[in-house]
Amino acid sequence: VVDGSRGIDEDDRRIADILRAENVILVLNKKDLGLKVNCRKLKEWKRCVEVSAKTGDGLEELARKLTDAVLLDTETILKG
C-alpha cells in the first residue's frame, strides 16, 4: 500500500523491484486526496488498484483483484 497522494519515492521503487516478481497487488491509497501517480502510469505493475480507505472508493475492485490473485495462485499450486 502506497500513499498515492505523495507519489512514489525511491524507497517505494526499491521495494517494488523486489516484489514485482511476486504475486503482488500495488494499492494506491488516498484517492480522495488526489493521486500524484496512477495505475495507468505504472504499467509495469500487472495488478494495481487506486482506493480511498476513507471513502471506500475502489475497495470493490481491490476485493476482486485479491480474489483473482488468490484463485490464480491456488491454480498454480494445484498444477504444480
Side-chain angles (χ1 to χ4, degrees):
V1 176
V2 174
D3 179 350
S5 70
R6 70 170 175 75
I8 293 180
D9 62 21
E10 277 306 307
D11 287 335
D12 295 327
R13 291 187 191 286
R14 185 176 48 79
I15 293 167
D17 286 341
I18 293 167
L19 296 176
R20 192 166 290 126
E22 302 297 324
N23 191 7
V24 175
I25 300 169
L26 176 62
V27 180
L28 300 176
N29 190 28
K30 300 194 179 180
K31 183 178 180 180
D32 56 298
L33 298 179
L35 299 175
K36 290 189 177 180
V37 65
N38 60 45
C39 290
R40 284 185 308 254
K41 291 182 181 177
L42 300 170
K43 294 177 185 174
E44 66 271 17
W45 283 90
K46 295 176 187 172
R47 294 186 180 106
C48 179
V49 63
E50 301 166 7
V51 303
S52 168
K54 182 177 181 179
T55 67
D57 189 27
L59 295 181
E60 285 184 27
E61 181 182 357
L62 175 58
R64 280 192 302 274
K65 288 185 185 259
L66 286 167
T67 301
D68 290 346
V70 169
L71 292 175
L72 177 63
D73 193 40
T74 302
E75 288 177 12
T76 302
I77 291 169
L78 292 175
K79 290 179 183 176

